[in-house]
Amino acid sequence: MLTTDGRFAYEAAGDPGAIPLIFLHGIGGAARAWRRQLATFGDRFRAIAWDMPGYGGSAPLASVSIDALAEALQQFIAQLGVSRPVLIGHSIGGMIVQKWLVQFPKLARAVVLAQTSPAFGKADGDWQKSFIAARLGPLDRGETMRSLAPSLVKELVGDDPDPNGMEIARECMGSVPEASYRAMMLALIGFDQRSTLGTISVPTLLLSGLKDNNAPAAMMAKTATFIPGAEYVELPCVGHLANLERPEAFDEALGRFLNSLATKA
């Protein structure tokens, strides 16, 4: 589906009048990476997954930054005409949610920060540069996203991931336009929302994977201590792609959090 302005592609399930859940994928993802969650939660919620700008059928941004992506998220929400959504952001999707919360602190019902970070690397910049170089170097040498997808996905996951989920992960990664992948990687540089964690005023779940090397569990556990009232859930055996690696565990953790919102309402 496309928004009425034609800028954003998305997939959705459930009653349009139900509480909206908006799922935001990572750099190697796509809206279709959330299809299992749309099916699981579409019976109780309006479950929506966007394609980030430059992904799937969504138009790319003229200039890519986390700020610009957060503004695009708000434009997407406005196009949908939904109010007080629950935002579930994975990896860079979680970074976009953090930036969006600074700009629009009262518009969400709740947020889930899944396998993400409040900052990209260390302040000196060397770690960030080496991280980016390691991921863009193969493309510079003539590889393609399609050829890199199997190895990229394998590096991201933990123990005994779901085979169907891994097939989806490879397909999504291989379909990312190279220009979008490069732009998103570069947009990470300088991202740092650590100083604003204490201002998050909506119910928040931080969801980590014990085997995640990109957003380490210890870092996420520490991050949770800076967000007032935040819940922290750690999934054993899971790497960076929890909803695809262990969909049952991911859905159970998300479902518990959503149920807790209902009891608080």
Side-chain angles (χ1 to χ4, degrees), residues 2 18 21 41 44 62 87 108 169 191 249 252 261:
L2 288 174
L21 308 181
F41 295 101
R44 293 172 50 207
L87 298 178
F191 174 76
E252 182 182 357
L261 297 179

Side-chain angles (χ1 to χ4, degrees), residues 100-112:
W100 179 89
L101 281 169
V102 175
Q103 299 174 8
F104 308 99
K106 302 295 186 184
L107 296 190
R109 186 180 307 264
V111 299
V112 179

Side-chain angles (χ1 to χ4, degrees), residues 154-167:
K154 187 175 182 181
E155 290 174 10
L156 291 173
V157 300
D159 302 332
D160 302 316
D162 178 79
N164 290 331
M166 293 306 90
E167 186 175 341

Side-chain angles (χ1 to χ4, degrees), residues 100-150:
W100 179 89
L101 281 169
V102 175
Q103 299 174 8
F104 308 99
K106 302 295 186 184
L107 296 190
R109 186 180 307 264
V111 299
V112 179
L113 303 177
Q115 306 183 280
T116 189
S117 170
F120 179 62
K122 302 175 179 65
D124 61 13
D126 290 340
W127 183 89
Q128 293 99 319
K129 290 172 185 173
S130 63
F131 181 95
I132 299 290
R135 279 148 183 79
L136 298 187
L139 294 172
D140 294 337
R141 294 189 291 271
E143 294 273 9
T144 65
M145 291 304 298
R146 184 69 66 187
S147 67
L148 288 172

Side-chain angles (χ1 to χ4, degrees), residues 21-231:
L21 308 181
I22 299 179
F23 294 89
L24 298 96
H25 63 81
I27 284 180
R32 60 187 176 279
W34 297 108
R35 283 177 181 167
R36 164 68 181 257
Q37 284 68 46
L38 299 190
T40 299
F41 295 101
D43 60 342
R44 293 172 50 207
F45 300 92
R46 177 61 166 169
I48 301 158
W50 83 336
D51 278 318
M52 272 200 300
Y55 286 65
S58 292
L61 297 173
S63 179
V64 179
S65 67
I66 303 295
D67 278 341
L69 289 163
E71 181 59 39
L73 171 60
Q74 179 56 24
Q75 292 165 3
F76 175 64
I77 293 169
Q79 284 286 311
L80 293 176
V82 301
S83 62
R84 298 197 66 220
V86 178
L87 298 178
I88 301 103
H90 170 250
S91 198
I92 198 175
M95 295 177 174
I96 295 168
V97 169
Q98 291 174 67
K99 180 64 73 172
W100 179 89
L101 281 169
V102 175
Q103 299 174 8
F104 308 99
K106 302 295 186 184
L107 296 190
R109 186 180 307 264
V111 299
V112 179
L113 303 177
Q115 306 183 280
T116 189
S117 170
F120 179 62
K122 302 175 179 65
D124 61 13
D126 290 340
W127 183 89
Q128 293 99 319
K129 290 172 185 173
S130 63
F131 181 95
I132 299 290
R135 279 148 183 79
L136 298 187
L139 294 172
D140 294 337
R141 294 189 291 271
E143 294 273 9
T144 65
M145 291 304 298
R146 184 69 66 187
S147 67
L148 288 172
S151 61
L152 288 173
V153 169
K154 187 175 182 181
E155 290 174 10
L156 291 173
V157 300
D159 302 332
D160 302 316
D162 178 79
N164 290 331
M166 293 306 90
E167 186 175 341
I168 294 167
R170 289 188 292 269
E171 197 279 325
C172 288
M173 183 74 78
S175 299
V176 176
E178 181 179 327
S180 297
Y181 186 80
R182 288 178 178 274
M184 292 294 171
M185 280 288 176
L186 295 174
L188 294 173
I189 296 174
F191 174 76
D192 191 341
Q193 291 301 133
R194 286 175 293 186
S195 65
T196 62
L197 294 174
T199 68
I200 295 176
S201 58
V202 298
T204 302
L205 169 66
L206 285 89
L207 187 58
S208 76
L210 186 57
K211 298 294 184 76
D212 188 346
N213 294 321
N214 280 23
M219 177 276 296
M220 289 206 68
K222 182 178 179 181
T223 300
T225 68
F226 293 100
I227 300 175
E231 297 180 41

